[in-house]
């Protein structure tokens, strides 16, 4: 059996390394003409946007392997009949790292220290800890689980929320009682730190609007590493610093330079870099190799989230 595979960069092609006999790999960024009419596996650019998928129209494509976990809006751009796999297993650890980094930076007032350093000022501060805080984790998929594992050593009081309530036994976390998302209004008033790790889409759009944000106590910290659309950005600005926020994802993105969120008191912003670390390249390369090997054996690919029907 032979396979023809395309990846968007020479760097990724090099990371994948030697391939089994019968596999041909070519670099294609989806911006230039397609190298062939039939491609068994296409890997689009990481930050190319879903519009790049329109380049697949009229081609015979066996599978699109995304480099991202999220896939909202993909079905509208992906030509009919092409299966689509997301990058589960690639970004969970890096996204969990930035969730912890943002939380710690906000709690321990790192932005204040950075500004003081620029001015050559010695400016000690008595800050909030992460230890002993009541943390509400909203989302318990791959990213949420990775965040929970990293929160555990910080001795927090952790409450987990997902779409449906259920008890979960985790080999490292033990028994986790997952609360339903419709319990948020009851849980938020007791939360000191809220970490969002939900996917985007219509069901979760502006989940944290004026009404939901109002349930948070004064001084609470909202951390978002899920999707920017989870939070109504205008509603967050209207909080005017009553609650704090540490955000790796925003709505809109990129955040315009004139947007008031930049100057909203108590807000820390990173520019959607949760998965952008040195962990990404070897992990996406490993996933692509796994897909190739499964296809060579005649097995179904993993992580298929849209079957092309």
């Amino acid at each position: 059996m032979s396979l023809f595979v395309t990846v968007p960069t020479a760097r990724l092609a090099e990371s994948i390394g030697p391939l089994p006999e019968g596999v041909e790999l070519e670099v294609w960024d989806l911006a230039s003409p397609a190298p062939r009419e039939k491609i068994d596996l296409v890997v689009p650019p990481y930050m190319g946007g879903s519009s790049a998928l329109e380049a697949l129209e009229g081609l015979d494509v066996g599978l699109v392997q995304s480099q991202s976990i999220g896939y909202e809006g993909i079905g509208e751009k992906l030509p009919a009949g092409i299966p689509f796999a997301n990058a589960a297993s690639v970004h969970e650890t890096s996204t969990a790292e930035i969730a912890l980094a943002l939380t710690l930076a906000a709690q321990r007032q790192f932005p204040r220290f950075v500004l003081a350093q620029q001015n050559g000022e010695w400016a000690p501060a008595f800050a909030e800890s992460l230890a002993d805080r009541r943390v509400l984790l909203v989302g318990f998929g791959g990213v949420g689980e990775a965040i929970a594992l990293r929160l555990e050593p910080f001795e927090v009081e952790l409450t987990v929320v997902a779409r449906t309530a259920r008890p979960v036994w985790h080999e490292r976390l033990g028994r986790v009682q997952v609360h339903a998302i419709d319990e948020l209004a009851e849980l938020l008033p007791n939360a000191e730190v809220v970490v969002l790790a939900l996917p985007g889409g219509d069901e979760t759009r502006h989940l944290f609007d004026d009404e939901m944000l109002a349930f948070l106590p004064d001084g609470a910290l909202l951390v978002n590493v899920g999707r920017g659309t989870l939070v109504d950005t205008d509603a967050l600005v209207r909080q005017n610093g009553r609650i704090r926020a540490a955000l790796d994802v925003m709505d809109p993105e990129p955040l315009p330079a004139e947007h008031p969120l930049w100057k909203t008191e108590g807000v820390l912003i990173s520019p959607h870099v949760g998965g952008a670390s040195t962990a990404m390249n070897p992990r996406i390369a490993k996933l692509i190799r796994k897909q190739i090997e499964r296809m060579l054996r005649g097995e179904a690919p993993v992580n298929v989230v849209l079957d092309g029907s």
Side-chain angles (χ1 to χ4, degrees):
M1 182 179 182
S2 62
L3 293 177
F4 181 61
V5 178
T6 68
V7 297
T9 65
R11 180 187 177 199
L12 182 53
E14 183 178 353
S15 297
I16 294 170
L19 289 168
E21 185 177 349
V23 179
E24 185 180 351
L25 186 145
E26 188 167 325
V27 174
W28 180 41
D29 60 5
L30 276 71
S32 56
R36 294 188 189 177
E37 292 186 1
K38 184 181 188 307
I39 308 175
D40 296 288
L41 176 61
V42 172
V43 181
Y46 176 44
M47 299 299 286
S50 59
S51 59
L53 298 175
E54 295 175 351
L56 305 180
E57 189 68 53
L59 301 181
D60 181 2
V61 177
L63 176 70
V64 172
Q65 173 58 64
S66 173
Q67 298 191 66
S68 301
I69 297 177
Y71 56 95
E72 59 270 14
I74 294 296
E76 301 168 6
K77 299 291 186 180
L78 188 69
I82 301 177
F84 182 93
N86 75 351
S89 77
V90 173
H91 299 290
E92 288 84 347
T93 54
S94 287
T95 304
E97 284 178 355
I98 207 159
L100 264 291
L102 286 169
T103 303
L104 288 167
Q107 290 292 89
R108 301 306 299 266
Q109 299 190 25
F110 272 36
R112 171 180 174 172
F113 299 146
V114 170
L115 291 174
Q117 179 180 347
Q118 292 174 354
N119 296 322
E121 297 176 3
W122 186 263
F126 189 85
E128 295 283 344
S129 68
L130 180 53
D132 303 329
R133 299 284 70 81
R134 296 184 298 275
V135 178
L136 184 64
L137 175 59
V138 186
F140 201 53
V143 172
E145 180 181 323
I147 293 170
L149 285 169
R150 284 154 182 79
L151 283 170
E152 195 274 336
F154 284 87
E155 302 177 25
V156 302
E157 182 182 324
L158 182 64
T159 302
V160 176
V161 172
R163 181 176 299 177
T164 55
R166 62 192 187 277
V168 173
W169 177 258
H170 192 280
E171 60 179 349
R172 290 174 60 186
L173 296 171
R175 186 182 185 278
V176 178
Q177 177 57 53
V178 178
H179 295 263
I181 203 162
D182 59 11
E183 298 178 60
L184 271 177
E186 302 169 22
L187 296 169
L188 287 171
N190 191 50
E192 295 172 289
V193 178
V194 179
V195 182
L196 306 184
L198 288 168
D202 293 339
E203 290 185 12
T204 59
R205 179 174 176 78
H206 290 183
L207 176 64
F208 280 76
D209 55 10
D210 285 289
E211 180 181 5
M212 199 66 78
L213 292 172
F215 287 120
L216 283 164
D218 293 352
L221 173 65
L222 179 69
V223 181
N224 189 6
V225 296
R227 281 292 180 265
T229 53
L230 299 176
V231 179
D232 181 338
T233 307
D234 293 337
L236 182 58
V237 171
R238 285 192 289 270
Q239 290 292 310
N240 197 29
R242 186 190 72 83
I243 61 172
R244 298 170 297 135
L247 313 169
D248 185 53
V249 289
M250 280 134 284
D251 181 26
E253 287 186 9
L255 193 66
E258 67 278 6
H259 199 286
L261 187 66
W262 286 111
K263 296 182 179 179
T264 300
E265 184 179 353
V267 173
L268 172 61
I269 292 173
S270 60
H272 201 156
V273 292
S277 78
T278 53
M280 178 185 170
N281 216 51
R283 289 172 184 244
I284 188 63
K286 180 180 178 181
L287 177 57
I288 293 167
R289 286 190 63 91
K290 181 177 184 177
Q291 299 287 44
I292 289 171
E293 291 165 358
R294 292 181 68 89
M295 294 172 80
L296 285 174
R297 294 194 297 264
E299 298 174 2
V302 297
N303 294 358
V304 174
V305 291
L306 299 171
D307 62 10
S309 60

